Amino acid sequence: MNSIFQTQVSFYPSGVNGGGEIKKVSLADCLLSSKWRDVVNTIRAEPDEAKQKKMKSQLPCFTPSGLFTGKKACDLVEHSGFISLDLDEKDNRDCADFRELKRLIKECPNVAYCGLSVRGKGYVCLVPIADPKKHRDYFRALCADFAACGLKVDSSGADVSRKRFVSYDPEPYINTAAVPYDYVLPCEDRPEARKMANVFSDVPAMEGQLAECISKWAEKTEKDITGGYNQWFEILCALASTFGEDGRDYAHRISQYGQGYTPEETDAQYDECLEHGGYNYTFATFLYYARKGMGDEEYGRVRAALDFETIISNDKEQ
């Protein structure tokens, strides 16, 4: 396994959305250089959050998980062997020791690096992984492991092409002997989901109508039913296996009220689900989480309304 001092990644001098030539640099050049110290300290000293974000967007960025010829996951040339984890203060307000993360992270043998984010209100951790082909599977498991410690990881790290802005930390945590992470979550047994699969297995025509009704409910109430990353991943897989490309619209309509939603990340995740045929998730998984998020009463009301509309439609056709 290469260390952060040896590993090569892609570097984008003009920022996430800028043009220009993509360069090849080491992870250490991006994580440990003092080149951006003054501009990063200026950003951290800016009291206006909107101005902070604008200044941040003008910084160069890099892809911790590999070398790319472009800006998308499909442009990956070589995986770096690392997964990048973002932990933001706003997502971890209930964690009393969040500001001590660099001191505490040494208890985790898998973390190779931990340093402050650009605005100084979060951390980035780099974890070496045993098999780059399992990037998303490892990410899901890492999210669960950190959650067990009371820490919420930003879901955007699931995207292998996820870019990070350069930052500066005068005292980062570095462990060159970090143990490669090699654990994936076992499949969750959901008897309720199987039961729902039996209920709807003989009425496939209702799948599109149900997805539409649930999407409309989410838009009307502006409520999130996607939960954390693992749940969101399974929902998108279920939509991909059921509707193929036609499920992308449902994916965005359902995801848009989730914390940290971006169209780009949702598209990237849905592409991944499509590529693998939805990882064998079924429409029952989507219904299971929809019912769980809506509550039995609301879900029952939506179903009852759909059943009524179906009866009326059938009467008209006859």
Side-chain angles (χ1 to χ4, degrees), residues 27-70:
L27 269 173
D29 290 333
C30 302
L31 298 170
L32 306 178
S33 174
S34 60
K35 182 176 180 180
W36 298 281
R37 176 182 56 196
D38 292 343
V39 66
V40 169
N41 284 337
T42 299
I43 292 172
R44 290 174 182 169
E46 172 56 57
D48 188 304
E49 186 172 336
K51 289 182 179 179
Q52 267 192 335
K53 290 181 178 180
K54 184 177 180 179
M55 295 165 70
K56 172 184 171 181
S57 68
Q58 297 171 352
L59 286 170
C61 59
F62 63 101
T63 48
S65 290
L67 289 167
F68 294 79
T69 56

Side-chain angles (χ1 to χ4, degrees), residues 12-312:
Y12 303 75
S14 301
V16 174
N17 298 314
E21 180 184 0
I22 302 174
K23 299 182 179 181
K24 183 190 296 186
V25 302
S26 73
L27 269 173
D29 290 333
C30 302
L31 298 170
L32 306 178
S33 174
S34 60
K35 182 176 180 180
W36 298 281
R37 176 182 56 196
D38 292 343
V39 66
V40 169
N41 284 337
T42 299
I43 292 172
R44 290 174 182 169
E46 172 56 57
D48 188 304
E49 186 172 336
K51 289 182 179 179
Q52 267 192 335
K53 290 181 178 180
K54 184 177 180 179
M55 295 165 70
K56 172 184 171 181
S57 68
Q58 297 171 352
L59 286 170
C61 59
F62 63 101
T63 48
S65 290
L67 289 167
F68 294 79
T69 56
K71 299 181 180 180
K72 298 180 180 179
C74 60
D75 298 321
L76 177 66
V77 175
E78 182 180 355
H79 200 288
S80 70
F82 288 92
I83 281 182
S84 173
L85 305 177
D86 285 339
L87 295 103
D88 296 324
E89 185 177 49
K90 62 180 175 60
D91 297 331
N92 292 280
R93 299 191 186 282
D94 295 333
C95 179
D97 296 322
F98 185 71
R99 290 186 176 273
E100 299 296 318
L101 186 62
K102 282 194 297 181
R103 178 177 60 82
L104 300 173
I105 205 70
K106 63 183 179 181
E107 300 298 325
C108 178
N110 304 109
V111 176
Y113 170 90
C114 181
L116 288 171
S117 61
V118 176
R119 296 198 293 155
K121 297 182 179 180
Y123 299 93
V124 56
C125 292
L126 259 63
V127 177
I129 56 177
D131 184 356
K133 294 179 181 178
K134 297 180 181 180
H135 181 104
R136 286 183 179 272
D137 292 331
Y138 287 148
F139 182 82
R140 294 174 61 215
L142 281 165
C143 286
D145 284 348
F146 273 73
C149 297
L151 293 165
K152 178 177 174 56
V153 176
D154 189 317
S155 64
S156 61
D159 182 3
V160 69
S161 63
R162 168 74 161 91
K163 298 174 184 63
R164 288 209 56 81
F165 289 105
V166 295
S167 185
Y168 175 71
D169 189 329
E171 298 179 331
Y173 168 78
I174 300 173
N175 177 14
T176 57
V179 179
Y181 189 82
D182 192 13
Y183 175 75
V184 296
L185 292 175
C187 294
E188 181 183 357
D189 183 28
R190 293 189 300 275
E192 184 178 352
R194 290 202 304 273
K195 180 180 178 181
M196 296 180 83
N198 294 330
V199 171
F200 296 110
S201 61
D202 59 340
V203 283
M206 289 184 65
E207 291 174 345
Q209 293 169 286
L210 273 168
E212 179 64 28
C213 288
I214 292 168
S215 297
K216 286 182 176 178
W217 178 88
E219 291 170 328
K220 182 178 179 179
T221 61
E222 297 187 0
K223 290 185 178 180
D224 172 39
I225 64 170
T226 60
Y229 173 76
N230 292 341
Q231 183 169 316
W232 178 63
F233 171 80
E234 293 185 13
I235 286 174
L236 265 58
C237 282
L239 292 173
S241 68
T242 305
F243 303 109
E245 180 59 39
D246 291 339
R248 190 180 296 272
D249 179 60
Y250 295 135
H252 283 284
R253 293 167 67 186
I254 294 296
S255 301
Q256 64 181 310
Y257 302 108
Q259 190 174 45
Y261 164 78
T262 66
E264 296 79 12
E265 170 60 13
T266 301
D267 275 331
Q269 180 67 86
Y270 198 76
D271 287 342
E272 172 77 8
C273 296
L274 276 178
E275 183 180 347
H276 292 86
Y279 290 99
N280 295 321
Y281 286 94
T282 69
F283 190 66
T285 299
F286 173 69
L287 294 180
Y288 171 78
Y289 284 128
R291 179 171 168 176
K292 184 178 178 182
M294 298 166 71
D296 288 343
E297 184 176 345
E298 273 294 276
Y299 179 80
R301 186 185 64 77
V302 170
R303 275 302 320 276
L306 174 59
D307 291 341
F308 178 76
E309 290 177 4
T310 302
I311 292 172
I312 296 298

